[in-house]
Amino acid sequence: MFDFSDEQKMVAKMVRRWCDEKLAPATDALERNEIQPYALMRDFAATFGLPDMARAAFSRMKERVEKGADAKKPPPDDAAETTMRDPALMSIVAMELSRVNPGFCMSFGASTGLAGGAIMAKGTMAQKERFGLPLVTLEKIGGWGMTEPGAGSDAFGSMKTIARRDGDFYLLNGQKTFITNAPYADTIVTYAKLDDGRPAEDRPVHGFILERGMKGLETPPPMRKMGMHTSPTGEVFLQDVRVPKNQLLGEDESAPAREQVRDTFHGERTGILPMCLGIVERCLEESLRYAKERVTWGKPIAEYQLVQEKLARMFVHRENVRNLLFKQIWLVKNGKKLTMAEACVCKLYSARVATEVAMEAVQIFGGNGYMTEYRVEQLARDAKLLQIGGGTDEIQIGTIAKALLRDGLPTR
């Protein structure tokens, strides 16, 4: 796959039109936190019929499950489910949203993809209907709670949040941090180690579905951040939060959540790729335009070779990220999957070049690039988080190197 189809390009134009008409005019207010992104997220979903599509797909899945089918294997002739799972269309949405406001894309993805996706993928049918469906339809907002103050990249080994059995409940105690949407989330999928008497390092990790208003669950106001201002980030405090057994994700203590979480990490890392492409393309477009318009010493700065070198490198990065994205889409469409090392390559390279391209755009704009009036300033701040969230650059490098040393070059 080397390009999007004509139909996919038409969808991209429609999404870009919505971004130009709705998201771009609201971005200043979103960045100043005068408004939150959730009403616009619901407007976007309604504009493209996502809630109705999700409900219809769920109803058909429920009917199939009642007849004995596997809920995780949608039939190929179900247009709604096929469309919603289409990696090309999902990438287009992330690219177009990130061109205008990466923070908006992050909040949208964390709610529908991380929180909603975790429940729809791993929950029981009752959990999918009660908790997952309202998230993927944007009726409710979700958060996904893994990171802790002392357990970032070492998410499992250093996890301190504990779940203890208490009759028909679990008591959760601990703290999560840097959680997207936490200050406003209605539903939070939170992970904890089950205290089963074994040493802490050997205890199984499980997911729990929490609801706002539970006694002992506290979510302070949003944190102040360098970038991604549109995306509220916060902490989650758990003090003897009583969680019913039917809100253990999957309702199966014999199936620890480590593989569930690894799947989510994998999706998070590959999901950053289209976000990066959106940032790179917007920065390159803005830089090309500005370089032709800005005149110094009697000629446009586009005629200076040092500026040309920056533009050329931006384009090289754009082509590389775009090719990685198409490889990823092609694999998914053909029933294959990137290895963890390949997923780490996608995140490592695309996040680094998104930051580099955005900073070079600021440099090309000069003093104007440092002003909030010019969008490259926002994109540069937002891009930096993509080198940190979902596993830092250093973690990606370590994972790639270990896989190469263990398995050699990947082959198909």
Side-chain angles (χ1 to χ4, degrees):
M1 181 174 181
F2 296 100
D3 199 1
F4 293 114
S5 67
D6 290 340
E7 181 181 359
Q8 290 163 350
K9 289 178 180 177
M10 181 178 68
V11 172
K13 288 182 180 179
M14 294 168 62
V15 176
R16 186 169 299 188
R17 185 181 306 120
W18 182 89
C19 289
D20 290 341
E21 293 176 356
K22 299 289 185 71
L23 183 55
T27 287
D28 284 339
L30 287 166
E31 286 291 289
R32 292 191 294 264
N33 300 134
E34 295 170 356
I35 59 175
Q36 297 304 324
Y38 307 117
L40 270 175
M41 285 163 52
R42 293 182 174 112
D43 183 280
F44 176 84
T47 298
F48 294 96
L50 301 183
D52 290 341
M53 197 179 300
R55 292 188 187 99
F58 178 80
S59 294
R60 286 190 288 273
M61 178 180 68
K62 188 176 180 180
E63 290 176 6
R64 293 196 306 274
V65 170
E66 289 172 350
K67 295 177 181 178
D70 186 344
K72 297 179 182 179
K73 294 181 179 180
D77 58 345
D78 193 319
E81 289 192 47
T82 301
T83 298
M84 293 190 69
R85 295 169 185 252
D86 185 346
L89 293 180
M90 293 167 63
S91 295
I92 284 169
V93 169
M95 287 166 53
E96 294 299 325
L97 294 179
S98 297
R99 284 173 53 88
V100 176
N101 194 322
F104 182 87
C105 182
M106 179 158 287
S107 272
F108 187 92
S111 184
T112 60
L114 292 182
I119 297 172
M120 298 306 282
K122 306 300 181 181
T124 63
M125 280 301 299
Q127 290 172 344
K128 294 178 198 286
E129 186 166 19
R130 179 182 170 188
F131 301 107
L133 192 58
L135 294 180
V136 297
T137 60
L138 274 300
E139 178 186 337
K140 291 187 177 181
I141 300 301
W144 190 76
M146 172 58 68
T147 303
E148 298 184 5
S153 297
D154 183 17
F156 295 131
S158 299
M159 182 180 290
K160 301 298 183 186
T161 300
I162 295 294
R164 293 184 174 88
R165 300 185 189 92
D166 182 32
D168 291 332
F169 294 82
Y170 296 93
L171 288 181
L172 266 62
N173 285 277
Q175 178 183 354
K176 302 295 181 178
T177 192
F178 307 144
I179 308 304
T180 301
N181 296 328
Y184 305 103
D186 303 293
T187 304
I188 303 174
V189 178
T190 300
Y191 293 86
K193 285 187 175 180
L194 181 62
D195 185 355
D196 58 0
R198 287 184 284 179
E201 62 272 16
D202 296 328
R203 292 171 181 171
V205 174
H206 286 282
F208 296 86
I209 305 170
L210 309 184
E211 298 177 276
R212 180 167 296 280
M214 282 181 157
K215 185 178 180 180
L217 171 62
E218 299 291 339
T219 55
M223 296 169 157
R224 297 181 64 187
K225 301 176 294 183
M226 171 182 172
M228 295 287 184
H229 292 167
T230 293
S231 177
T233 301
E235 296 176 290
V236 178
F237 292 98
L238 308 166
Q239 184 174 359
D240 288 335
V241 178
R242 288 172 60 81
V243 184
K245 283 189 175 181
N246 63 7
Q247 289 178 223
L248 169 71
L249 185 58
E251 291 192 56
D252 185 2
E253 277 193 14
S254 67
R258 287 178 186 255
E259 288 304 315
Q260 300 175 12
V261 174
R262 288 193 180 99
D263 287 345
T264 302
F265 281 152
H266 190 284
E268 187 178 17
R269 287 167 180 171
T270 55
I272 282 175
L273 187 53
M275 291 184 66
C276 292
L277 182 54
I279 292 171
V280 168
E281 287 196 342
R282 176 69 183 279
C283 287
L284 177 54
E285 290 170 9
E286 294 296 324
S287 296
L288 287 168
R289 178 188 59 77
Y290 189 81
K292 295 178 195 176
E293 295 175 354
R294 178 74 168 104
V295 175
T296 61
W297 289 287
K299 61 181 181 181
I301 63 172
E303 295 186 22
Y304 294 105
Q305 287 186 334
L306 286 176
V307 173
Q308 292 174 0
E309 191 268 348
K310 293 181 187 297
L311 296 171
R313 283 179 58 84
M314 287 176 166
F315 181 65
V316 169
H317 289 322
R318 183 260 190 183
E319 290 298 284
N320 287 340
V321 175
R322 184 176 166 87
N323 289 336
L324 283 172
L325 178 62
F326 284 134
K327 174 186 176 180
Q328 178 177 304
I329 292 171
W330 183 87
L331 286 171
V332 174
K333 280 184 167 291
N334 285 274
K336 303 178 186 296
K337 185 178 180 181
L338 290 171
T339 66
M340 180 56 76
E342 289 174 321
C344 290
V345 167
C346 290
K347 183 189 184 299
L348 173 67
Y349 180 78
S350 63
R352 278 187 168 181
V353 301
T355 303
E356 178 186 331
V357 168
M359 291 300 291
E360 288 287 47
V362 171
Q363 194 70 18
I364 288 172
F365 273 72
N368 285 332
Y370 203 67
M371 300 297 112
T372 57
E373 175 185 353
Y374 294 84
R375 291 302 171 197
V376 293
E377 175 269 345
Q378 174 197 341
L379 294 173
R381 287 185 291 102
D382 288 357
K384 185 59 185 175
L385 178 64
L386 302 180
Q387 289 187 265
I388 300 170
T392 63
D393 284 3
E394 292 74 18
I395 293 298
Q396 310 305 318
I397 291 169
T399 302
I400 295 166
K402 289 174 184 175
L404 289 173
L405 292 168
R406 182 184 64 243
D407 306 323
L409 293 174
T411 59
R412 286 191 172 84

